[in-house]
Amino acid sequence: MVDAHERFVASGALRIWTERVGDPELPAVLMVMGSAAQGVSCPDALVGRLVERGVQVIRFDHRDTGRSSVVDFEAHPYAIADMARDCLAVLDGYGLDSAHVAGASLGGMIAQWLGVHVPHRVRSLTVMSSSPMSHDPGPARARALAGEPADPDDLPPPSPAFVAHLNAGLPPGIESDVALFRVFNGPVRPFDEPAARAMLELAFSRAVDPAAAANHHRAVWMDDPSLMAPLSSITAPTSIVHGDQDPVYPLGHGEALTALIPGAVLHVVPGMGHVMTSPGLPEEVADLIRL
């Protein structure tokens, strides 16, 4: 991969760690990762493939992750919209009027928010392994955790393997995270445990406060009326990338997204789970990101 350049940008009072890879004169792709995930969770192989496709790539640490600022959530609670504004601060910090935006999981919901609320900043939209931003997964997940039957109006609940992992109550740490990523990977494609472990160890080593990332789970439950804006207002060319083995947001979530966003194209990735921890998968996904 070509040389990467790191810098901090300001988002209000917060400092957001960022990294740019590629020629700064080329169009930019902003990679927005999921809940509790640092920028380094975006695989180098994916970034390298995108650079080969003729763009620069910017990845960053969300607030409360990695080297970015830690927030006192009790004193300064925040919601998904605030995390989306951090994305805008990253673009502003690099002097970018707009970018191709690709978001995974919670990052996919943040990407939707950008597509709805600041369409002039979004050249194209790629939503990966995610769900409609207005969807409240709480009731369905609660029923799944309790072993109760699904409601017909629910989007598909998490997989039994994911529910079993959540119920196992493993102590926090690298081994628990590796076990979680094994479940995230799904049962079909091979799980690259050494690569996943190396990424998780790197993330732990560079985190200002590893426990702070749990605030993202609180942010998701914050009242955020801006999430209720209709996805039908998205005008950016949109691709939905979803694995048919996703244990967190089964394929029905990606299908629902595709139906809600005008002109969206669904790319179903056979055997893919919720993360890109299988050999060759980061490059495969990179080729599906809308440019």
Side-chain angles (χ1 to χ4, degrees):
M1 191 169 66
V2 298
D3 288 342
H5 300 276
E6 302 178 25
R7 61 177 293 195
F8 286 90
V9 303
S11 181
L14 305 183
R15 296 174 76 238
I16 304 296
W17 176 89
T18 72
E19 179 189 69
R20 173 162 64 186
V21 182
D23 185 343
E25 298 301 317
L26 293 173
V29 176
L30 181 69
M31 297 299 306
V32 188
M33 304 316 291
S35 178
Q38 301 178 23
V40 296
S41 69
C42 178
D44 289 347
L46 182 147
V47 174
R49 179 63 68 93
L50 284 174
V51 170
E52 290 174 1
R53 292 183 63 193
V55 294
Q56 58 170 309
V57 180
I58 298 172
R59 52 186 174 179
F60 67 98
D61 291 341
H62 291 293
R63 59 175 68 193
D64 277 332
T65 71
R67 296 178 62 195
S68 290
S69 292
V70 173
V71 178
D72 180 343
F73 197 90
E74 295 296 335
H76 303 286
Y78 59 86
I80 288 176
D82 299 296
M83 298 179 73
R85 293 185 184 100
D86 291 341
C87 295
L88 296 177
V90 173
L91 296 184
D92 291 343
Y94 281 93
L96 294 168
D97 292 332
S98 62
H100 301 284
V101 178
S105 195
L106 173 60
M109 298 178 192
I110 293 170
Q112 294 167 52
W113 191 99
L114 295 170
V116 168
H117 292 285
V118 286
H120 60 288
R121 307 298 299 269
V122 180
R123 292 189 175 206
S124 71
L125 193 62
T126 302
V127 181
M128 305 177 289
S129 309
S130 193
S131 187
M133 69 178 186
S134 60
H135 170 60
D136 178 1
R141 184 167 293 183
R143 281 188 280 273
L145 288 170
E148 299 173 356
D151 187 294
D153 293 330
D154 287 342
L155 287 175
S159 74
F162 181 56
V163 171
H165 178 86
L166 294 180
N167 284 334
L170 298 178
I174 296 296
E175 295 307 320
S176 176
D177 288 346
V178 170
L180 174 61
F181 269 68
R182 183 181 296 279
V183 174
F184 278 164
N185 186 78
V188 173
R189 295 208 182 199
F191 175 52
D192 189 345
E193 180 173 331
R197 183 181 296 275
M199 183 276 291
L200 292 165
E201 290 176 345
L202 172 62
F204 184 82
S205 72
R206 64 191 296 279
V208 174
D209 179 359
N215 286 337
H216 289 184
H217 300 296
R218 303 171 72 183
V220 169
W221 298 107
M222 291 294 292
D223 183 34
D224 191 347
S226 67
L227 296 178
M228 303 309 295
L231 296 180
S232 60
S233 67
I234 291 177
T235 56
T238 301
S239 291
I240 309 300
V241 178
H242 215 101
D244 63 5
Q245 298 296 315
D246 193 321
V248 181
Y249 296 122
L251 181 57
H253 292 253
E255 293 171 338
L257 261 175
T258 306
L260 289 169
I261 300 176
V265 176
L266 174 63
H267 298 283
V268 178
V269 183
M272 176 179 168
H274 193 65
V275 292
M276 293 172 277
T277 48
S278 189
L281 186 56
E283 294 92 337
E284 187 175 341
V285 171
D287 287 343
L288 297 176
I289 289 177
R290 195 76 168 254
L291 301 180

CSV table of all heavy atoms in Angstrom, one decimal, residues 198-256:
chain,number,residue,atom,x,y,z
A,198,ALA,N,-4.4,-9.8,15.1
A,198,ALA,CA,-3.4,-8.7,14.9
A,198,ALA,C,-4.1,-7.4,14.9
A,198,ALA,O,-3.6,-6.4,15.5
A,198,ALA,CB,-2.6,-8.9,13.6
A,199,MET,N,-5.2,-7.3,14.2
A,199,MET,CA,-6.0,-6.0,14.1
A,199,MET,C,-6.5,-5.6,15.5
A,199,MET,O,-6.4,-4.5,15.9
A,199,MET,CB,-7.1,-6.1,13.1
A,199,MET,CG,-7.9,-4.8,12.9
A,199,MET,SD,-9.2,-4.6,14.2
A,199,MET,CE,-10.4,-5.9,13.7
A,200,LEU,N,-7.1,-6.6,16.2
A,200,LEU,CA,-7.6,-6.3,17.5
A,200,LEU,C,-6.5,-6.0,18.5
A,200,LEU,O,-6.7,-5.1,19.4
A,200,LEU,CB,-8.4,-7.6,18.0
A,200,LEU,CG,-9.7,-7.9,17.2
A,200,LEU,CD1,-10.2,-9.3,17.5
A,200,LEU,CD2,-10.8,-6.8,17.5
A,201,GLU,N,-5.4,-6.6,18.5
A,201,GLU,CA,-4.3,-6.2,19.3
A,201,GLU,C,-3.8,-4.8,19.0
A,201,GLU,O,-3.5,-4.0,20.0
A,201,GLU,CB,-3.2,-7.3,19.2
A,201,GLU,CG,-3.5,-8.6,19.8
A,201,GLU,CD,-2.4,-9.7,19.6
A,201,GLU,OE1,-1.5,-9.4,18.8
A,201,GLU,OE2,-2.5,-10.7,20.3
A,202,LEU,N,-3.7,-4.5,17.7
A,202,LEU,CA,-3.3,-3.1,17.4
A,202,LEU,C,-4.3,-2.1,17.9
A,202,LEU,O,-3.9,-1.1,18.5
A,202,LEU,CB,-3.2,-3.0,15.8
A,202,LEU,CG,-3.0,-1.6,15.3
A,202,LEU,CD1,-1.6,-1.0,15.8
A,202,LEU,CD2,-3.0,-1.6,13.8
A,203,ALA,N,-5.6,-2.4,17.7
A,203,ALA,CA,-6.6,-1.5,18.2
A,203,ALA,C,-6.5,-1.3,19.7
A,203,ALA,O,-6.6,-0.1,20.2
A,203,ALA,CB,-8.0,-2.0,17.8
A,204,PHE,N,-6.3,-2.4,20.4
A,204,PHE,CA,-6.2,-2.2,21.9
A,204,PHE,C,-5.0,-1.4,22.3
A,204,PHE,O,-5.0,-0.5,23.2
A,204,PHE,CB,-6.1,-3.6,22.5
A,204,PHE,CG,-6.1,-3.6,24.0
A,204,PHE,CD1,-7.3,-3.5,24.8
A,204,PHE,CD2,-4.9,-3.6,24.7
A,204,PHE,CE1,-7.3,-3.4,26.1
A,204,PHE,CE2,-4.9,-3.6,26.1
A,204,PHE,CZ,-6.1,-3.5,26.8
A,205,SER,N,-3.9,-1.6,21.6
A,205,SER,CA,-2.6,-0.9,21.9
A,205,SER,C,-2.7,0.6,21.7
A,205,SER,O,-2.0,1.3,22.3
A,205,SER,CB,-1.5,-1.5,21.2
A,205,SER,OG,-1.5,-1.2,19.8
A,206,ARG,N,-3.5,1.0,20.7
A,206,ARG,CA,-3.5,2.4,20.4
A,206,ARG,C,-4.7,3.2,20.9
A,206,ARG,O,-4.9,4.4,20.6
A,206,ARG,CB,-3.5,2.6,18.8
A,206,ARG,CG,-4.7,2.0,18.1
A,206,ARG,CD,-4.4,2.0,16.6
A,206,ARG,NE,-4.2,3.3,16.0
A,206,ARG,CZ,-5.2,4.1,15.7
A,206,ARG,NH1,-6.5,3.8,15.9
A,206,ARG,NH2,-5.0,5.3,15.1
A,207,ALA,N,-5.6,2.5,21.7
A,207,ALA,CA,-6.8,3.2,22.2
A,207,ALA,C,-6.4,4.0,23.4
A,207,ALA,O,-5.7,3.5,24.4
A,207,ALA,CB,-7.8,2.1,22.6
A,208,VAL,N,-6.8,5.3,23.4
A,208,VAL,CA,-6.7,6.1,24.6
A,208,VAL,C,-7.4,5.5,25.8
A,208,VAL,O,-6.8,5.5,26.9
A,208,VAL,CB,-7.2,7.5,24.3
A,208,VAL,CG1,-7.1,8.4,25.5
A,208,VAL,CG2,-6.4,8.2,23.2
A,209,ASP,N,-8.6,5.0,25.6
A,209,ASP,CA,-9.4,4.4,26.7
A,209,ASP,C,-10.2,3.3,26.0
A,209,ASP,O,-11.3,3.6,25.5
A,209,ASP,CB,-10.3,5.5,27.3
A,209,ASP,CG,-11.1,4.9,28.4
A,209,ASP,OD1,-11.1,3.6,28.7
A,209,ASP,OD2,-11.9,5.6,29.1
A,210,PRO,N,-9.7,2.1,26.1
A,210,PRO,CA,-10.5,1.0,25.4
A,210,PRO,C,-11.9,0.9,25.8
A,210,PRO,O,-12.8,0.5,25.0
A,210,PRO,CB,-9.7,-0.3,25.7
A,210,PRO,CG,-8.3,0.2,26.0
A,210,PRO,CD,-8.5,1.6,26.7
A,211,ALA,N,-12.2,1.2,27.0
A,211,ALA,CA,-13.6,1.0,27.5
A,211,ALA,C,-14.6,2.0,27.0
A,211,ALA,O,-15.8,1.8,26.9
A,211,ALA,CB,-13.6,1.0,29.1
A,212,ALA,N,-14.0,3.2,26.5
A,212,ALA,CA,-14.9,4.3,26.1
A,212,ALA,C,-15.7,3.9,24.8
A,212,ALA,O,-16.8,4.5,24.6
A,212,ALA,CB,-14.0,5.5,25.8
A,213,ALA,N,-15.2,3.0,24.0
A,213,ALA,CA,-15.9,2.6,22.8
A,213,ALA,C,-17.3,2.1,23.1
A,213,ALA,O,-18.2,2.1,22.2
A,213,ALA,CB,-15.1,1.5,22.0
A,214,ALA,N,-17.6,1.6,24.3
A,214,ALA,CA,-18.9,1.1,24.7
A,214,ALA,C,-19.9,2.2,24.6
A,214,ALA,O,-21.1,2.0,24.6
A,214,ALA,CB,-18.9,0.5,26.1
A,215,ASN,N,-19.5,3.5,24.7
A,215,ASN,CA,-20.4,4.6,24.6
A,215,ASN,C,-21.2,4.6,23.2
A,215,ASN,O,-22.3,5.2,23.2
A,215,ASN,CB,-19.7,5.9,24.7
A,215,ASN,CG,-19.3,6.2,26.1
A,215,ASN,OD1,-19.8,5.7,27.1
A,215,ASN,ND2,-18.2,7.1,26.3
A,216,HIS,N,-20.6,4.0,22.2
A,216,HIS,CA,-21.3,3.9,20.9
A,216,HIS,C,-22.7,3.2,21.1
A,216,HIS,O,-23.7,3.5,20.5
A,216,HIS,CB,-20.5,3.2,19.9
A,216,HIS,CG,-19.3,4.1,19.4
A,216,HIS,ND1,-18.5,3.7,18.4
A,216,HIS,CD2,-18.9,5.3,19.8
A,216,HIS,CE1,-17.6,4.6,18.2
A,216,HIS,NE2,-17.8,5.6,19.1
A,217,HIS,N,-22.7,2.2,21.9
A,217,HIS,CA,-23.9,1.4,22.1
A,217,HIS,C,-24.9,2.3,22.8
A,217,HIS,O,-26.2,2.2,22.6
A,217,HIS,CB,-23.6,0.2,23.0
A,217,HIS,CG,-22.7,-0.8,22.3
A,217,HIS,ND1,-22.9,-1.4,21.1
A,217,HIS,CD2,-21.4,-1.2,22.7
A,217,HIS,CE1,-21.9,-2.2,20.8
A,217,HIS,NE2,-21.0,-2.0,21.7
A,218,ARG,N,-24.5,3.2,23.7
A,218,ARG,CA,-25.4,4.2,24.3
A,218,ARG,C,-25.9,5.2,23.3
A,218,ARG,O,-27.0,5.6,23.3
A,218,ARG,CB,-24.7,4.8,25.5
A,218,ARG,CG,-24.2,3.8,26.5
A,218,ARG,CD,-23.3,4.5,27.6
A,218,ARG,NE,-24.1,5.3,28.5
A,218,ARG,CZ,-23.6,6.1,29.4
A,218,ARG,NH1,-22.3,6.1,29.6
A,218,ARG,NH2,-24.4,6.8,30.2
A,219,ALA,N,-25.0,5.6,22.4
A,219,ALA,CA,-25.3,6.6,21.4
A,219,ALA,C,-26.5,6.1,20.5
A,219,ALA,O,-27.3,6.9,20.1
A,219,ALA,CB,-24.1,7.0,20.6
A,220,VAL,N,-26.4,4.9,20.1
A,220,VAL,CA,-27.4,4.3,19.2
A,220,VAL,C,-28.8,4.4,19.8
A,220,VAL,O,-29.8,4.5,19.1
A,220,VAL,CB,-27.0,2.8,18.9
A,220,VAL,CG1,-28.2,2.1,18.2
A,220,VAL,CG2,-25.8,2.7,18.1
A,221,TRP,N,-28.9,4.3,21.2
A,221,TRP,CA,-30.2,4.4,21.8
A,221,TRP,C,-30.7,5.8,22.2
A,221,TRP,O,-31.8,6.0,22.6
A,221,TRP,CB,-30.2,3.5,23.1
A,221,TRP,CG,-29.9,2.1,22.8
A,221,TRP,CD1,-28.8,1.4,23.0
A,221,TRP,CD2,-30.8,1.2,22.2
A,221,TRP,NE1,-28.9,0.1,22.6
A,221,TRP,CE2,-30.1,-0.1,22.1
A,221,TRP,CE3,-32.1,1.2,21.6
A,221,TRP,CZ2,-30.6,-1.2,21.5
A,221,TRP,CZ3,-32.7,0.1,21.1
A,221,TRP,CH2,-31.9,-1.1,21.0
A,222,MET,N,-29.8,6.8,21.9
A,222,MET,CA,-30.2,8.2,22.2
A,222,MET,C,-31.4,8.6,21.2
A,222,MET,O,-31.4,8.2,20.0
A,222,MET,CB,-29.0,9.1,22.0
A,222,MET,CG,-28.0,8.9,23.0
A,222,MET,SD,-28.5,9.4,24.7
A,222,MET,CE,-28.7,11.2,24.5
A,223,ASP,N,-32.3,9.4,21.8
A,223,ASP,CA,-33.4,9.9,20.9
A,223,ASP,C,-32.8,10.8,19.8
A,223,ASP,O,-32.1,11.8,20.2
A,223,ASP,CB,-34.3,10.7,21.8
A,223,ASP,CG,-35.5,11.2,21.0
A,223,ASP,OD1,-35.9,10.5,20.1
A,223,ASP,OD2,-36.0,12.3,21.3
A,224,ASP,N,-33.0,10.5,18.6
A,224,ASP,CA,-32.4,11.2,17.5
A,224,ASP,C,-33.4,11.3,16.4
A,224,ASP,O,-33.5,10.5,15.5
A,224,ASP,CB,-31.1,10.4,17.0
A,224,ASP,CG,-30.3,11.2,16.0
A,224,ASP,OD1,-30.8,12.3,15.6
A,224,ASP,OD2,-29.1,10.8,15.8
A,225,PRO,N,-34.3,12.3,16.4
A,225,PRO,CA,-35.3,12.5,15.4
A,225,PRO,C,-34.8,12.6,14.0
A,225,PRO,O,-35.5,12.2,13.1
A,225,PRO,CB,-36.0,13.8,15.8
A,225,PRO,CG,-35.7,14.0,17.3
A,225,PRO,CD,-34.4,13.4,17.5
A,226,SER,N,-33.6,13.0,13.8
A,226,SER,CA,-33.0,13.1,12.5
A,226,SER,C,-32.9,11.8,11.8
A,226,SER,O,-32.8,11.7,10.5
A,226,SER,CB,-31.7,13.8,12.5
A,226,SER,OG,-30.7,13.0,13.1
A,227,LEU,N,-32.9,10.7,12.6
A,227,LEU,CA,-32.9,9.3,12.0
A,227,LEU,C,-34.2,9.0,11.3
A,227,LEU,O,-34.2,8.0,10.5
A,227,LEU,CB,-32.5,8.3,13.0
A,227,LEU,CG,-31.2,8.4,13.7
A,227,LEU,CD1,-31.0,7.3,14.8
A,227,LEU,CD2,-30.0,8.3,12.7
A,228,MET,N,-35.2,9.7,11.6
A,228,MET,CA,-36.5,9.3,11.0
A,228,MET,C,-36.8,9.9,9.6
A,228,MET,O,-37.8,9.7,9.0
A,228,MET,CB,-37.6,9.7,12.0
A,228,MET,CG,-37.5,9.1,13.4
A,228,MET,SD,-37.3,7.3,13.3
A,228,MET,CE,-38.9,6.8,12.7
A,229,ALA,N,-35.8,10.8,9.2
A,229,ALA,CA,-36.0,11.4,7.8
A,229,ALA,C,-36.0,10.2,6.8
A,229,ALA,O,-35.3,9.3,6.9
A,229,ALA,CB,-34.8,12.3,7.6
A,230,PRO,N,-36.9,10.4,5.8
A,230,PRO,CA,-37.1,9.3,4.8
A,230,PRO,C,-35.8,9.0,4.0
A,230,PRO,O,-35.2,10.0,3.4
A,230,PRO,CB,-38.2,9.7,4.0
A,230,PRO,CG,-38.2,11.2,4.1
A,230,PRO,CD,-37.8,11.5,5.5
A,231,LEU,N,-35.5,7.8,3.8
A,231,LEU,CA,-34.3,7.4,3.0
A,231,LEU,C,-34.7,7.6,1.5
A,231,LEU,O,-33.7,7.7,0.7
A,231,LEU,CB,-33.9,5.9,3.2
A,231,LEU,CG,-33.4,5.6,4.6
A,231,LEU,CD1,-33.1,4.1,4.7
A,231,LEU,CD2,-32.2,6.4,5.0
A,232,SER,N,-35.9,7.8,1.2
A,232,SER,CA,-36.3,8.1,-0.2
A,232,SER,C,-35.8,9.4,-0.7
A,232,SER,O,-35.8,9.7,-1.9
A,232,SER,CB,-37.8,8.1,-0.3
A,232,SER,OG,-38.4,9.0,0.5
A,233,SER,N,-35.3,10.3,0.2
A,233,SER,CA,-34.7,11.6,-0.2
A,233,SER,C,-33.3,11.5,-0.6
A,233,SER,O,-32.7,12.4,-1.1
A,233,SER,CB,-34.9,12.6,1.0
A,233,SER,OG,-34.0,12.2,2.1
A,234,ILE,N,-32.7,10.3,-0.4
A,234,ILE,CA,-31.3,10.1,-0.9
A,234,ILE,C,-31.2,10.2,-2.4
A,234,ILE,O,-31.9,9.5,-3.1
A,234,ILE,CB,-30.7,8.8,-0.4
A,234,ILE,CG1,-30.5,8.9,1.2
A,234,ILE,CG2,-29.3,8.5,-1.0
A,234,ILE,CD1,-30.0,7.6,1.8
A,235,THR,N,-30.3,11.1,-2.9
A,235,THR,CA,-30.1,11.3,-4.3
A,235,THR,C,-28.8,10.7,-4.8
A,235,THR,O,-28.6,10.6,-6.0
A,235,THR,CB,-30.2,12.8,-4.6
A,235,THR,OG1,-29.2,13.5,-3.9
A,235,THR,CG2,-31.6,13.3,-4.4
A,236,ALA,N,-27.8,10.4,-3.9
A,236,ALA,CA,-26.5,9.9,-4.3
A,236,ALA,C,-26.7,8.5,-4.9
A,236,ALA,O,-27.5,7.7,-4.4
A,236,ALA,CB,-25.6,9.9,-3.1
A,237,PRO,N,-25.9,8.2,-6.0
A,237,PRO,CA,-25.9,6.8,-6.5
A,237,PRO,C,-25.5,5.9,-5.3
A,237,PRO,O,-24.5,6.1,-4.6
A,237,PRO,CB,-24.8,6.8,-7.6
A,237,PRO,CG,-24.7,8.3,-7.9
A,237,PRO,CD,-25.0,9.1,-6.7
A,238,THR,N,-26.3,4.9,-5.1
A,238,THR,CA,-26.1,4.1,-3.9
A,238,THR,C,-26.0,2.6,-4.2
A,238,THR,O,-26.7,2.0,-5.0
A,238,THR,CB,-27.3,4.3,-3.0
A,238,THR,OG1,-27.5,5.6,-2.6
A,238,THR,CG2,-27.2,3.4,-1.7
A,239,SER,N,-25.0,1.9,-3.5
A,239,SER,CA,-24.9,0.5,-3.5
A,239,SER,C,-25.0,-0.1,-2.1
A,239,SER,O,-24.5,0.5,-1.2
A,239,SER,CB,-23.5,0.1,-4.1
A,239,SER,OG,-23.4,0.4,-5.5
A,240,ILE,N,-25.7,-1.2,-2.0
A,240,ILE,CA,-25.9,-1.9,-0.8
A,240,ILE,C,-25.0,-3.2,-0.9
A,240,ILE,O,-25.3,-4.0,-1.8
A,240,ILE,CB,-27.3,-2.2,-0.5
A,240,ILE,CG1,-28.2,-1.0,-0.6
A,240,ILE,CG2,-27.5,-2.9,0.9
A,240,ILE,CD1,-27.9,0.2,0.3
A,241,VAL,N,-24.1,-3.3,0.0
A,241,VAL,CA,-23.2,-4.5,0.0
A,241,VAL,C,-23.5,-5.3,1.2
A,241,VAL,O,-23.3,-4.8,2.4
A,241,VAL,CB,-21.7,-4.1,-0.1
A,241,VAL,CG1,-20.8,-5.4,0.0
A,241,VAL,CG2,-21.4,-3.3,-1.3
A,242,HIS,N,-24.0,-6.6,1.1
A,242,HIS,CA,-24.4,-7.3,2.2
A,242,HIS,C,-24.1,-8.8,2.0
A,242,HIS,O,-24.3,-9.4,1.0
A,242,HIS,CB,-25.9,-7.2,2.4
A,242,HIS,CG,-26.4,-7.1,3.8
A,242,HIS,ND1,-26.7,-6.0,4.5
A,242,HIS,CD2,-26.6,-8.1,4.7
A,242,HIS,CE1,-27.1,-6.3,5.7
A,242,HIS,NE2,-27.0,-7.6,5.9
A,243,GLY,N,-23.6,-9.4,3.1
A,243,GLY,CA,-23.3,-10.8,3.1
A,243,GLY,C,-24.5,-11.7,3.3
A,243,GLY,O,-25.4,-11.3,4.1
A,244,ASP,N,-24.6,-12.8,2.7
A,244,ASP,CA,-25.8,-13.7,3.0
A,244,ASP,C,-25.6,-14.5,4.2
A,244,ASP,O,-26.5,-15.3,4.6
A,244,ASP,CB,-26.1,-14.6,1.8
A,244,ASP,CG,-24.9,-15.6,1.4
A,244,ASP,OD1,-23.9,-15.7,2.2
A,244,ASP,OD2,-25.1,-16.3,0.4
A,245,GLN,N,-24.5,-14.3,5.0
A,245,GLN,CA,-24.3,-15.0,6.2
A,245,GLN,C,-24.1,-14.0,7.4
A,245,GLN,O,-23.5,-14.3,8.4
A,245,GLN,CB,-23.0,-15.9,6.1
A,245,GLN,CG,-23.1,-17.0,5.1
A,245,GLN,CD,-24.2,-18.0,5.4
A,245,GLN,OE1,-24.3,-18.4,6.6
A,245,GLN,NE2,-25.0,-18.4,4.4
A,246,ASP,N,-24.6,-12.8,7.2
A,246,ASP,CA,-24.4,-11.8,8.3
A,246,ASP,C,-25.2,-12.2,9.5
A,246,ASP,O,-26.4,-12.3,9.5
A,246,ASP,CB,-25.0,-10.4,7.8
A,246,ASP,CG,-24.5,-9.3,8.7
A,246,ASP,OD1,-24.5,-9.4,9.9
A,246,ASP,OD2,-24.2,-8.2,8.1
A,247,PRO,N,-24.5,-12.4,10.7
A,247,PRO,CA,-25.2,-12.8,11.9
A,247,PRO,C,-25.8,-11.7,12.7
A,247,PRO,O,-26.7,-12.0,13.6
A,247,PRO,CB,-24.1,-13.5,12.7
A,247,PRO,CG,-22.9,-12.7,12.3
A,247,PRO,CD,-23.1,-12.3,10.9
A,248,VAL,N,-25.5,-10.5,12.4
A,248,VAL,CA,-26.0,-9.3,13.1
A,248,VAL,C,-27.2,-8.7,12.4
A,248,VAL,O,-28.2,-8.5,13.0
A,248,VAL,CB,-24.9,-8.2,13.3
A,248,VAL,CG1,-25.4,-7.1,14.1
A,248,VAL,CG2,-23.7,-8.9,14.0
A,249,TYR,N,-27.0,-8.4,11.2
A,249,TYR,CA,-28.1,-7.9,10.3
A,249,TYR,C,-28.2,-8.8,9.2
A,249,TYR,O,-27.6,-8.7,8.1
A,249,TYR,CB,-27.8,-6.5,9.8
A,249,TYR,CG,-27.6,-5.4,10.9
A,249,TYR,CD1,-26.5,-4.7,11.0
A,249,TYR,CD2,-28.7,-5.1,11.7
A,249,TYR,CE1,-26.4,-3.7,12.0
A,249,TYR,CE2,-28.6,-4.2,12.7
A,249,TYR,CZ,-27.5,-3.5,12.8
A,249,TYR,OH,-27.4,-2.5,13.8
A,250,PRO,N,-29.0,-9.9,9.3
A,250,PRO,CA,-29.2,-10.8,8.2
A,250,PRO,C,-29.7,-10.1,6.9
A,250,PRO,O,-30.1,-8.9,6.9
A,250,PRO,CB,-30.3,-11.8,8.7
A,250,PRO,CG,-30.1,-11.7,10.2
A,250,PRO,CD,-29.7,-10.3,10.5
A,251,LEU,N,-29.6,-10.8,5.8
A,251,LEU,CA,-29.7,-10.2,4.5
A,251,LEU,C,-31.0,-9.4,4.3
A,251,LEU,O,-31.0,-8.4,3.6
A,251,LEU,CB,-29.7,-11.3,3.4
A,251,LEU,CG,-29.8,-10.9,2.0
A,251,LEU,CD1,-28.7,-9.9,1.6
A,251,LEU,CD2,-29.7,-12.1,1.1
A,252,GLY,N,-32.1,-9.7,5.0
A,252,GLY,CA,-33.3,-9.0,4.9
A,252,GLY,C,-33.1,-7.5,5.2
A,252,GLY,O,-33.8,-6.6,4.7
A,253,HIS,N,-32.1,-7.1,6.1
A,253,HIS,CA,-31.9,-5.7,6.4
A,253,HIS,C,-31.3,-5.0,5.1
A,253,HIS,O,-31.7,-3.9,4.8
A,253,HIS,CB,-30.9,-5.6,7.5
A,253,HIS,CG,-31.4,-6.1,8.8
A,253,HIS,ND1,-31.7,-5.3,9.9
A,253,HIS,CD2,-31.7,-7.4,9.3
A,253,HIS,CE1,-32.2,-6.0,10.9
A,253,HIS,NE2,-32.1,-7.2,10.6
A,254,GLY,N,-30.4,-5.7,4.4
A,254,GLY,CA,-29.9,-5.1,3.2
A,254,GLY,C,-30.9,-5.0,2.1
A,254,GLY,O,-31.0,-4.0,1.4
A,255,GLU,N,-31.8,-6.0,2.1
A,255,GLU,CA,-32.9,-5.9,1.1
A,255,GLU,C,-33.9,-4.8,1.4
A,255,GLU,O,-34.3,-4.1,0.5
A,255,GLU,CB,-33.6,-7.3,1.1
A,255,GLU,CG,-32.8,-8.4,0.5
A,255,GLU,CD,-33.4,-9.8,0.7
A,255,GLU,OE1,-34.3,-9.9,1.6
A,255,GLU,OE2,-33.0,-10.7,0.0
A,256,ALA,N,-34.1,-4.6,2.7
A,256,ALA,CA,-35.0,-3.5,3.1
A,256,ALA,C,-34.4,-2.1,2.7
A,256,ALA,O,-35.1,-1.2,2.2
A,256,ALA,CB,-35.3,-3.5,4.6
